[in-house]
Amino acid sequence: MDLNQTNHHKRNILVVDDTPDNLRLLSAMLTAQGFEVRKALNGKMALTACKMVLPDVILLDINMPDMDGYQVCQQLKANEKTCEVPVIFISALDDVVDKVKAFDVGGVDYIAKPFHGAEVVLRIQNQINLRMLQVKLQEKNLLLQQAIDGLKASQVQQIQNEKMVALGQLVAGLAHEINNPISFIYGNLQYAGEYVNDLINLIEAYQQEYPKATPKIQQIAKDIDLNFMIKDLQNLIGAMYRGSDRIQEIVLALQHFSRHDEAEMKQVNIHEDMENTLVMLQHRLRETADRPAIVVVKDYGKLPLITCYASELNQVFMHLLNNAIDAIEEGVGKQFSTPYSLLPTPQIRIHTEVTLNTIKIAIADNGPGIEESLRSRLFDPFFTTKPVGKGSGLGLSISYQIIVQKHRGNITCTSSVGQGAEFAMEIPIEQEP
């Protein structure tokens, strides 16, 4: 049985030697053993032959004109396509220094001339077997890496599911608990306003019936600035009404944001969901001691209702807007020596439009931007550019899963250092069943 019947095809051997007699001898010997042999008389021909068909093993002479075997091997190892091909040096040079140099430039074996045919064949077959084992190991490593990636993805999904349930329950419960007392306050404000008006009318009636007040009443009216208080009471009642309305809006936004009872797909208004998310983030958008208020520019197009998992899409909006705020604050932090009044206006721009059968949602910030070397890893699980304790590396990975895997959409990031970053999502208007 031929030694070369591994993997059901002939092994391709490239023999490189400037002596034609050596080429013929090696070619005849290896062909007889079942190998497919190609010949090259110099280094340039050898490199050209490798580009045409990648050999399984190269037998390489050292002493050749123009380009010796060492230089040929170095070029082979420097090329991504040929770097894995085993190179066996075959030479009349039998000095230890020559052998050491052969291995230094990337050779895997060294055969001294004159050689024995059986020895050459066995050494070639050993390298072929070793290469096969390396390929199998690489394949197993690839499968192992795929299994690890799958495990990471399932961990991310499990964390997302648990987080969604916990957050939904928390927000829904919080909204319910806030709704009860604010409803009580809002309902009683009407009566409080009526009582205040009745008291004001009574005081005005006293002033008309008894225009000459006693010194004591005059002093009290002066101390409490009665006229101002009567006017301001009505303003206060109005402010309390507006405050109660605002709290009710926030409670409604919390309920919409959590969508605790809406786990299935439904048609939603994207702009309403975006507004509800912005309500949740108002505390982070306000002016601070370190930076001006973050301006949110809404460039909304005319969008139809889209079919989606509303609760999970809200999570994507929350992740991306939070990241934009973090980026802006990071950019401001890098300009700590710049006076507050000279800082550029922090801005987040939200753009929406219809594109064919999808809608596009883009969220851009004017923060410091993201380096190109990092952008390819942004959606990897557990990868984060934030300092320790500031990020889990799950937000963008979860967003990718929700947009790409769950909604059959697409999410990309474009950024230039110093020019901010933009995350753009495209979601089908109608989801396939």
Side-chain angles (χ1 to χ4, degrees):
M1 183 181 75
D2 278 342
L3 292 171
N4 187 46
Q5 296 306 309
T6 316
N7 275 13
H8 309 292
H9 73 276
K10 286 186 176 183
R11 292 297 177 175
N12 186 303
I13 311 298
L14 177 63
V15 181
V16 188
D17 198 314
D18 64 331
T19 305
D21 289 342
N22 288 340
L23 282 180
R24 283 192 292 271
L25 175 62
L26 286 167
S27 177
M29 180 184 66
L30 295 174
T31 301
Q33 291 294 323
F35 292 105
E36 182 180 332
V37 181
R38 291 184 299 151
K39 296 172 281 187
L41 281 167
N42 55 53
K44 288 184 179 179
M45 290 177 63
L47 294 174
T48 302
C50 288
K51 289 179 182 178
M52 294 174 63
V53 177
L54 197 65
D56 293 300
V57 176
I58 299 173
L59 283 181
L60 183 59
D61 188 24
I62 293 177
N63 282 333
M64 294 186 295
D66 297 328
M67 184 187 299
D68 64 24
Y70 299 133
Q71 293 170 312
V72 174
C73 189
Q74 285 174 323
Q75 289 201 30
L76 290 169
K77 296 303 172 183
N79 188 306
E80 185 179 353
K81 183 180 178 182
T82 58
C83 64
E84 298 293 336
V85 178
V87 176
I88 300 176
F89 282 98
I90 184 165
S91 174
L93 301 174
D94 199 22
D95 192 271
V96 172
V97 174
D98 299 311
K99 293 181 179 180
V100 169
K101 186 173 181 180
F103 287 110
D104 282 344
V105 295
V108 296
D109 204 348
Y110 192 101
I111 301 173
K113 296 178 182 179
F115 51 79
H116 297 284
E119 178 187 5
V120 174
V121 171
L122 283 172
R123 290 189 184 228
I124 289 174
Q125 191 61 43
N126 283 341
Q127 292 305 322
I128 289 174
N129 292 338
L130 183 60
R131 180 67 189 139
M132 285 177 58
L133 291 173
Q134 288 174 338
V135 170
K136 286 182 180 179
L137 181 60
Q138 288 172 352
E139 290 173 352
K140 287 182 179 179
N141 286 342
L142 180 61
L143 291 173
L144 181 60
Q145 186 60 50
Q146 290 173 344
I148 291 172
D149 291 342
L151 179 60
K152 281 186 177 181
S154 66
Q155 287 177 331
V156 169
Q157 189 59 52
Q158 183 179 359
I159 291 170
Q160 164 66 3
N161 292 340
E162 292 175 356
K163 184 177 178 181
M164 287 291 295
V165 171
L167 185 62
Q169 290 174 342
L170 174 65
V171 172
L174 189 62
H176 177 74
E177 290 300 320
I178 295 174
N179 196 46
N180 286 336
I182 197 60
S183 297
F184 175 80
I185 293 170
Y186 192 84
N188 284 304
L189 266 177
Q190 180 181 352
Y191 299 112
E194 292 174 0
Y195 296 159
V196 167
N197 285 331
D198 289 343
L199 290 173
I200 290 172
N201 291 335
L202 178 62
I203 292 171
E204 288 175 347
Y206 265 104
Q207 288 174 333
Q208 291 170 3
E209 295 294 327
Y210 301 99
K212 188 69 175 176
T214 64
K216 183 177 180 180
I217 292 175
Q218 289 178 359
Q219 186 60 43
I220 293 173
K222 183 180 178 181
D223 289 342
I224 65 174
D225 197 349
L226 181 62
N227 291 333
F228 170 78
M229 186 179 70
I230 289 173
K231 292 178 182 179
D232 200 44
L233 261 175
Q234 295 169 328
N235 293 333
L236 286 177
I237 296 295
M240 285 191 282
Y241 267 116
R242 290 192 298 275
S244 298
D245 284 334
R246 179 62 178 154
I247 295 173
Q248 285 188 320
E249 287 176 9
I250 292 172
V251 169
L252 189 61
L254 286 169
Q255 291 171 334
H256 281 300
F257 178 82
S258 67
R259 295 188 183 268
H260 187 50
D261 299 322
E262 299 178 11
E264 298 301 319
M265 277 193 173
K266 64 170 292 182
Q267 287 194 319
V268 299
N269 183 319
I270 287 295
H271 293 154
E272 285 184 3
D273 281 7
M274 186 67 75
E275 290 299 317
N276 290 331
T277 307
L278 287 170
V279 168
M280 300 279 289
L281 292 171
Q282 279 302 311
H283 66 288
R284 296 205 64 196
L285 297 170
R286 296 191 188 101
E287 179 180 355
T288 69
D290 301 317
R291 61 159 175 80
I294 298 174
V295 176
V296 178
V297 178
K298 301 168 187 175
D299 179 21
Y300 290 167
K302 188 174 181 179
L303 301 184
L305 298 178
I306 73 162
T307 305
C308 66
Y309 295 96
S311 173
E312 297 191 18
L313 208 54
N314 282 340
Q315 289 302 300
V316 176
F317 297 157
M318 177 66 82
H319 285 314
L320 296 182
L321 288 168
N322 258 321
N323 281 353
I325 295 169
D326 289 341
I328 287 171
E329 291 182 341
E330 178 189 349
V332 172
K334 290 179 179 178
Q335 304 177 62
F336 64 91
S337 60
T338 305
Y340 182 100
S341 58
L342 298 180
L343 288 174
T345 302
Q347 185 181 103
I348 294 174
R349 182 174 178 269
I350 305 172
H351 171 79
T352 63
E353 63 176 306
V354 177
T355 58
L356 295 177
N357 296 321
T358 68
I359 64 161
K360 180 180 179 181
I361 307 161
I363 297 175
D365 64 72
N366 62 346
I370 304 168
E371 293 180 16
E372 184 178 357
S373 60
L374 301 177
R375 288 204 297 274
S376 63
R377 301 180 59 197
L378 285 178
F379 299 106
D380 291 352
F382 308 109
F383 175 76
T384 179
T385 60
K386 296 177 183 177
V388 175
K390 294 292 184 179
S392 64
L394 290 175
L396 288 179
S397 177
I398 289 170
S399 298
Y400 183 90
Q401 285 192 356
I402 292 172
I403 297 297
V404 177
Q405 297 177 11
K406 202 147 192 179
H407 288 88
R408 297 182 178 89
N410 189 36
I411 179 169
T412 57
C413 172
T414 55
S415 178
S416 298
V417 175
Q419 302 298 316
E422 178 182 275
F423 286 86
M425 299 161 279
E426 285 189 277
I427 305 170
I429 295 173
E430 293 292 337
Q431 292 290 322
E432 296 177 11

